[in-house]
Amino acid sequence: NNGTLRPFAPWANELIEQAKVPVLPVALSGLWSSAFSRRATKAMQRLCALHPLRKISAQVGSPLAPEKASAETAQRAVAGLL
């Protein structure tokens, strides 16, 4: 993975349907190559990636109504925040 938005997991639809609550789209930016990235696979890589001045941000979208929410609509909403 190169830090781009990946498709949501197949079980996301099941979770959305069972929860019956609004879905809040949240996009996180600035995590690629950070200690939280999948790129760093070993503990030492994660420690070396810690950077106190790294800018990490979160954008929060409008809640999606439970009856209209799906993995696809949630993913589009998150992509629109990036």
Side-chain angles (χ1 to χ4, degrees):
N1 188 353
N2 62 2
T4 58
L5 182 62
R6 294 173 36 179
F8 283 19
W11 48 262
N13 276 320
E14 186 177 332
L15 179 66
I16 291 168
E17 289 172 10
Q18 288 179 3
K20 294 182 174 45
V21 296
V23 175
L24 188 63
V26 178
L28 301 174
S29 301
L31 293 174
W32 183 243
S33 295
S34 76
F36 305 103
S37 173
R38 291 183 180 178
R39 183 175 182 206
T41 57
K42 296 182 179 166
M44 197 59 184
Q45 287 176 322
R46 291 186 186 278
L47 286 174
C48 292
L50 289 175
H51 190 283
L53 301 178
R54 177 181 297 278
K55 184 178 179 182
I56 297 174
S57 62
Q59 291 78 27
V60 181
S62 299
L64 305 173
E67 60 277 359
K68 294 184 179 179
S70 68
E72 185 179 327
T73 59
Q75 184 164 354
R76 277 198 309 261
V78 170
L81 297 171
L82 295 173

